[in-house]
Structure formats: C-alpha cells, structure tokens
Amino acid sequence: MPPNIEFPFASLSDWLIPTDLFFVRNHFTSPDLNPREWKLRVDGAVERPIELDLASIKAMRSTTLPAVVECAGNGRIYYVPQKEGLQWQNGAVGNARWTGVLLREILEMAGVKPSAREVLLVGADSGVVDANKKTASPGPIAFARSLPLEKAMAQSAILAYSMNEEPLTRDHGYPLRAVVGGWFGMAWVKWITHITVVEQPFLGYWQARDYFRWERSVGEPKLVQLTEMEVKAQIARPVEGARLIVGQPYRIFDATWSGETAVRQVQVCTGDGRGWREGRLLETERSFAWRLWEYMWTPEEVGQHILRCRATDGAGRVQPDVPCSDCESYAANWIIPVEVTVVPEPQTYEQEFVI
C-alpha cells in the first residue's frame, strides 16, 4: 500500500507545517526518479513541443506561493453512514511555502494554440485501480488531471521543486509537482513528467471515475469535477473530551481556509447560550494560504459544553451546519462539534504529616 499519513492536527502551532509532518496522500507507490535523467515533456496543442531538464527549469525566474492544500477526502470519517475511501480525520491538510516556476511560463515557451481548452498534467506514478470491480481502471494508469486553460495560466498555478525552502521529498513529488492555489489536492499532481495541452475536455479516470460531485443546477443531477476547496474552519485545540477548569481562560485555536476567495470571518459558539461570537484572525491575509485564528474563552459553568466554529469567505460562502449529500465522500466542510467537560477548580489541601 502507498503511504497515506495525516498531520496530527491537534499539534498545530505554526502557520507553516514542517515538511516532515506534512500529510501524505499517494494513490500509487512513490516513484524514485533520478533528477539527472528526469525530463519534462510539453506537447499537444502547442506550436513548439519542448523538453526541459530540471536544471533548465531551476534556471528560470522563480516564484514562491504560500498555499494550503487539502485532500478532497479530509474529514471523511465524520460522514454517517461511513463512506468508502481513506478514513481521514482532520489532518489531511497543510500550509507550506512552495517555490518553482509559473506553469504559464512553461506553456508560453511551447506556444499554446488558440484551440487549447485544458492542460493535462501527468505524473510518473501509476498502477491499477480497483482490480475486478466495476470501477476498475483500464489496466495500469498514471495519475493525471487537467486544469482549465484559464487556471493553468493564473498566478496561482506553479510547478514547484521546493517546499519550505528545501527540495521536495520523494513522497511530496520530487523533483517537480503542481501547486494549484485554491483547489483540492487531487489537482496538485506530483512527480510530473508530461504536460499535454488538449483541445477537448479531458475525461480520464481521475476526473470521470473519481474526484467528482453531483450538481443540480439544471434540475436533474449531473456529474461535475471537484475543483475549488470549500470554506472551512476546524478546531485544533481543545481536543474532543478535554477537561477544562471553570473560571480559567482557555484559548480555542484553529486554522481556516477557503478556495479562490480568502476567509473574512471566523465565529465561535461555546454552547453557553450566548450564540456566535467573533474569533480573532491571526497573521496577514495571503491569497491561497490558510490563516490561524483564536478565541479566548473563560467557561463559567461546570458541565458539558459543545464547541463549534464556522468560517465565512469573501464570496459570502458560510461553512454549513450539515453535510451536502451531493458531494459523494468528499468536501467534508460542515461544522464538526468538539465536546469538552468543564470541571470545578481542583481543591487543595494543606500537607499532613503522620508521626
């Protein structure tokens, strides 16, 4: 089985997640690519098919994009009844500083034809999916996803060779991976070796058989690809089941993020009858990166309390109270409550000695 590892979300403390703690989501075994032999091929609906080695890409003008990436299945464990797929809790998400080159500049080198519609990114990882099932892949396939040309040409789409000022690790896509700010992680194709500009919508396995949701804009439900992340905040601390002392201030702490539009507000409800109150957003707002936030709470009553948080982004999207039934097993962005127990302040006794 390929490695799939969560970040321990309750340990969240810094804006950037260290690479060695960053979550890993792999569909197949991580390929071990030799950087001296690796090449990036760009072809399809272009004027000049090109092939670039890693040194050539690193010699280009670099760009750095702090960005959050969330696996589309993050939080799947909270679906009731249970949904098929990896049972992620809260930790299939992370914020890092990515350095590389704009995908647009690579495409401009090749000369995109006017007929182009999408840009297909193909990774070096491959395998068979769901052998002998109805959803089986047609033999071994690579992990491949396309981006609409508009997104591929945006400032938020880069080909990264560095993560947090260090070369990518093998599990995080060495030597080159896509970074697609605002979009779920399946668009962030790793170990890229091939880019094909296509003139028709790409309907490969990872877009036609997986990573989709239902949409009802025309009445009857139709399948659409998962793309942009949903607005979301989730509580890192206190953890479920924590025991807090009445009358003592406690810091409710978390991260919040959205897709193409930044989060504008986080609210907190502590179950004490006072409704929703404003949390404090920390750090400077940066497009496509998450923000940490806090709310200082002094519990005044002993007993059980249900803590909840919700985010609102600049597009007016509000984190929902309940799951969306049309999202299959993905996009679990509804409010997840955290139950804590508030206890009396521990009694102290003068030390007694028996002689």
Side-chain angles (χ1 to χ4, degrees):
M1 288 290 292
N4 290 290
I5 305 166
E6 287 198 48
F7 165 67
F9 199 77
S11 70
L12 177 68
S13 59
D14 297 319
W15 184 65
L16 295 175
I17 301 299
T19 302
D20 61 345
L21 294 177
F22 211 93
F23 84 96
V24 175
R25 173 58 172 122
N26 293 341
H27 295 83
F28 307 116
T29 301
S30 304
D32 188 10
L33 302 178
N34 185 334
R36 292 182 296 274
E37 299 174 356
W38 176 90
K39 295 286 194 300
L40 174 65
R41 188 169 82 256
V42 183
D43 58 20
V46 297
E47 303 290 350
R48 300 170 295 278
I50 58 175
E51 192 172 81
L52 301 170
D53 60 18
L54 190 59
S56 299
I57 293 173
K58 287 186 173 181
M60 296 174 63
R61 179 178 59 182
S62 68
T63 186
T64 296
L65 180 70
V68 58
V69 54
E70 181 184 22
C71 176
N74 190 36
R76 183 178 287 127
I77 196 169
Y78 300 113
Y79 271 105
V80 178
Q82 181 176 323
K83 300 276 190 177
E84 182 179 341
L86 291 171
Q87 296 302 298
W88 296 115
Q89 297 184 55
N90 294 331
V93 62
N95 195 59
R97 183 175 283 117
W98 312 91
T99 300
V101 299
L102 287 172
L103 174 56
R104 180 182 67 203
E105 295 191 3
I106 298 285
L107 295 173
E108 288 173 346
M109 289 176 64
V112 176
K113 291 183 177 179
S115 57
R117 290 189 60 178
E118 295 184 356
V119 177
L120 175 62
L121 309 176
V122 184
D125 53 329
S126 63
V128 176
V129 184
D130 291 348
N132 300 318
K133 294 184 180 180
K134 185 179 180 180
T135 53
S137 60
I141 59 170
F143 189 86
R145 287 272 304 190
S146 70
L147 298 175
L149 185 62
E150 182 181 10
K151 184 63 175 178
M153 301 295 277
Q155 292 286 121
S156 55
I158 73 173
L159 299 178
Y161 45 74
S162 172
M163 178 181 181
N164 293 331
E165 279 79 51
E166 296 289 341
L168 292 170
T169 65
R170 178 177 171 182
D171 277 337
H172 289 112
Y174 181 82
L176 196 73
R177 70 170 298 163
V179 169
V180 186
W183 285 32
F184 280 117
M186 76 280 144
W188 297 43
V189 179
K190 298 190 281 188
W191 310 290
I192 291 179
T193 57
H194 188 192
I195 296 175
T196 299
V197 180
V198 296
E199 298 171 312
Q200 299 294 331
F202 176 66
L203 294 176
Y205 185 93
W206 303 104
Q207 284 178 240
R209 280 287 182 94
D210 206 348
Y211 293 118
F212 58 76
R213 61 179 176 83
W214 296 99
E215 183 182 272
R216 300 175 186 267
S217 59
V218 294
E220 284 299 304
K222 66 175 182 177
L223 288 175
V224 295
Q225 299 165 15
L226 281 174
T227 55
E228 187 181 355
M229 292 186 294
E230 301 288 344
V231 62
K232 187 172 184 178
Q234 55 188 33
I235 294 175
R237 292 186 297 278
V239 298
E240 176 77 14
R243 295 172 69 83
L244 312 182
I245 297 174
V246 70
Q248 291 193 7
Y250 194 89
R251 184 191 190 214
I252 301 173
F253 179 68
D254 185 17
T256 182
W257 60 94
S258 190
E260 298 280 356
T261 307
V263 170
R264 291 285 182 262
Q265 181 187 57
V266 173
Q267 296 172 296
V268 180
C269 180
T270 59
D272 56 6
R274 297 186 182 180
W276 293 96
R277 285 160 283 176
E278 195 88 2
R280 186 167 76 96
L281 291 166
L282 307 176
E283 294 101 20
T284 304
E285 178 186 306
R286 294 178 175 88
S287 298
F288 308 112
W290 72 12
R291 293 185 77 175
L292 305 181
W293 65 267
E294 66 181 8
Y295 177 80
M296 299 305 298
W297 177 49
T298 301
E300 299 174 353
E301 295 182 8
V302 171
Q304 306 299 116
H305 289 262
I306 303 296
L307 308 182
R308 296 186 295 158
C309 68
R310 69 182 181 195
T312 303
D313 70 13
R317 299 187 302 176
V318 181
Q319 191 170 349
D321 291 323
V322 295
C324 172
S325 60
D326 289 345
C327 286
E328 293 289 318
S329 63
Y330 299 113
N333 76 317
W334 67 90
I335 297 168
I336 302 298
V338 173
E339 184 173 336
V340 299
T341 302
V342 176
V343 298
E345 186 171 356
Q347 292 181 329
T348 58
Y349 300 90
E350 292 185 10
Q351 192 169 17
E352 296 180 354
F353 295 92
V354 176
I355 300 177

